[in-house]
Amino acid sequence: MSSPIQVAPDGSLTAPDRLVLPVIIGDGVGPDIWRAAEPVLTEAARLAGKSLEFVEALAGARAMAETGSYLPEETLDMLRTRRVGLKGPLATPVGGGIRSLNVAIRRALDLYVCVRPVKWTPGVPSPVRRPELMDMVVYRENTEDVYAGLEWPAGSPEAEGLIAYAGEKLGARIRPGSAVGLKPMSELCSKRLVRAAVKAALRDNRPSVTLVHKGNIMKHTEGGFRRWGYELAEEEFPGLTVPESGAGPGETRLVIKDRIADNMFMQSLLRPEEYGVLAMPNLNGDYLSDCLAGQIGGLGMAPGGNIGDGLAVFEATHGTAPKYAGQDKVNPSSLILSGACMFEHLGWAEAAKKIRGALEAAVADGYVTYDLARQNPALKTVKCSEFGEAVREKLV
Ligand code: NAP
């Protein structure tokens, strides 16, 4: 089956008014947030003159129980052929067991950009004094870095072999018996990530793209990312971009700047208004996304999307939150807002706008889930499903 979604050479999508899209419901709280989000998404689409249905694609614990595989090939095929999908969180054990299914999906479909917009919804309680100053979009490289899955346990023949090689050939002394990992970062993958960030910043009239790296310590990997980022902007967007060092007062070109990652965490708290689009390697992006999400109310408010050439899977930033699984308790806004991001990607901007407006209206009525209510006792705690229903009722 070929997808009714068409992809132009510049990567933009044209979606028809009627779509059936795959959804991975996910583990842990995945089913809770999906039950709350689905009616909101299908109703917003309907009110915007579209027709949307979802078809389940299996992954995670349910897929294992039903098919004997955590990530059946059929699921990847469905995402490939339909081009755009939605996904709930999938569990990854720490320290052993299966590797991350989330990483596996991103790598199998080469969804090399993770986009996470971080913008405050009025009325949502926040730990910072002026959450309205936060309006950043994280562009996180999704396929390389320490997430490449190249690490070996302490004492294994692979680890010992690498330690011996490093000692003999590179003059690098590593304590015998250490666990070891590799951190690959390439020019190609760094540049394609920064290219996506620069294009988005130019499209959305953002003033700057900040390269967030740890190149002071990891000079060739993270330092390479920084260098390739500046190179890319100069080579492919001359006249449209300018490095911060060359920017003048009232600069109209897109300013490319860079910040060392630890400083960027502090900057995000003290001077959030000075940052717009942030482009960064995989691990920095993972950490910083959650930190920024905390400033707009928490992970329950943080949407995201994994995007490649002509393929995209949208998902909440948070994980399976296992201690809340099945309690109809957590905040479904992250998945609802990921659906809004998906609509924008499809060119269904009106449906996305309706969702954001309805969510804001529901919060303005003082109804929120536990995570937001505990930050402001004046707000009334409702269940995950009740909050979803409140948002659906506010759709106009
Ligand atoms: P997590 O599932 O994101 O949960 C961490 C905390 O964030 C929760 O305990 C809760 O805070 C808050 N939270 C998460 N989702 C929320 C929601 N919808 N509404 C309100 N609060 C929410 O992170 P984790 O416990 O570190 O990871 C659990 C599992 O998820 C692991 O197996 C991990 O590998 C996996 N994971 C998957 C993805 C993905 O599928 N993309 C992403 C990250 C992690 P409080 O306890 O303060 O209430």
Side-chain angles (χ1 to χ4, degrees):
M1 189 202 70
S2 68
S3 172
I5 298 173
Q6 302 300 314
V7 186
D10 70 354
S12 62
L13 302 186
T14 310
D17 286 345
R18 299 177 70 82
L19 274 179
V20 179
L21 296 180
V23 59
I24 293 171
I25 294 172
D27 302 324
V29 294
D32 303 61
I33 57 174
W34 170 242
R35 276 192 294 273
E38 184 190 13
V40 176
L41 303 183
T42 49
E43 180 64 0
R46 192 187 69 76
L47 289 170
K50 315 287 185 188
S51 159
L52 177 62
E53 281 173 51
F54 288 96
V55 54
E56 186 176 358
L58 288 175
R62 265 200 50 213
M64 186 59 190
E66 290 184 25
T67 70
S69 162
Y70 280 106
L71 182 57
E73 197 52 42
E74 271 174 294
T75 291
L76 293 173
D77 282 345
M78 208 189 282
L79 292 167
R80 278 189 199 103
T81 51
R82 299 204 184 242
R83 291 195 174 279
V84 174
L86 196 61
K87 176 185 157 298
L90 294 170
T92 311
V94 176
I98 53 163
R99 286 199 182 278
S100 167
L101 299 174
N102 307 300
V103 173
I105 293 170
R106 291 168 197 165
R107 286 168 64 89
L109 303 180
D110 201 19
L111 305 173
Y112 55 87
V113 183
C114 176
V115 184
R116 290 176 168 170
V118 191
K119 191 166 167 35
W120 180 65
T121 301
V124 168
S126 157
V128 297
R129 277 206 308 273
R130 301 199 51 201
E132 71 279 8
L133 297 180
M134 170 65 66
D135 184 7
M136 299 188 201
V137 188
V138 171
Y139 276 72
R140 165 188 172 193
E141 204 287 324
N142 237 352
T143 63
E144 295 195 312
D145 198 352
V146 286
Y147 283 68
L150 303 174
E151 57 161 14
W152 294 274
S156 65
E158 294 87 351
E160 291 305 311
L162 273 172
I163 291 168
Y165 178 86
E168 285 160 24
K169 304 283 185 193
L170 309 175
R173 283 212 313 269
I174 304 174
R175 190 184 301 279
S178 299
V180 287
L182 295 178
K183 177 183 171 75
M185 285 174 51
S186 67
E187 179 175 350
L188 186 142
C189 293
S190 300
K191 282 191 168 174
R192 68 182 181 173
L193 182 272
V194 178
R195 183 180 297 115
V198 170
K199 277 187 177 174
L202 290 169
R203 180 196 65 206
D204 299 340
N205 285 319
R206 295 277 189 163
S208 65
V209 170
T210 306
L211 308 167
V212 182
H213 61 88
K214 200 61 194 151
N216 53 328
I217 304 296
M218 291 165 272
K219 296 183 187 300
H220 305 297
T221 49
E222 302 262 332
F225 179 87
R226 172 185 178 276
R227 180 163 55 81
W228 293 320
Y230 279 115
E231 266 175 29
L232 177 284
E234 191 183 336
E235 286 162 6
E236 298 189 15
F237 303 93
L240 296 174
T241 61
V242 60
E244 188 174 29
S245 54
E251 180 60 63
T252 54
R253 292 167 292 180
L254 178 68
V255 177
I256 310 294
K257 47 191 180 182
D258 75 281
R259 296 290 181 270
I260 293 174
D262 35 344
N263 177 28
M264 190 62 229
F265 277 80
M266 183 186 69
Q267 297 283 328
S268 76
L269 282 161
L270 298 182
R271 300 158 73 174
E273 68 280 16
E274 291 178 23
Y275 297 89
V277 173
L278 309 177
M280 64 196 85
N282 212 333
L283 182 63
N284 298 341
D286 199 1
Y287 291 162
L288 196 57
S289 302
D290 280 28
C291 167
L292 299 184
Q295 296 181 46
I296 56 151
L299 281 176
M301 297 302 301
N306 301 293
I307 300 173
D309 293 327
L311 298 178
V313 177
F314 290 81
E315 65 173 337
T317 296
H318 65 75
T320 57
K323 66 183 175 186
Y324 297 127
Q327 293 180 25
D328 192 18
K329 177 170 176 154
V330 296
N331 191 344
S333 301
S334 44
L335 190 63
I336 292 173
L337 290 169
S338 298
C341 295
M342 181 179 79
F343 286 164
E344 277 155 357
H345 189 71
L346 290 167
W348 291 9
E350 197 190 331
K353 204 170 154 203
K354 285 181 186 299
I355 290 176
R356 294 185 204 288
L359 201 137
E360 199 176 316
V363 173
D365 273 0
Y367 293 96
V368 291
T369 44
Y370 85 97
D371 52 321
L372 303 183
R374 74 184 167 191
Q375 298 181 59
N376 179 356
L379 299 173
K380 180 175 157 39
T381 308
V382 296
K383 292 179 182 171
C384 174
S385 56
E386 290 168 336
F387 184 73
E389 183 53 23
V391 177
R392 197 190 62 76
E393 280 175 6
K394 293 288 182 190
L395 285 167
V396 282

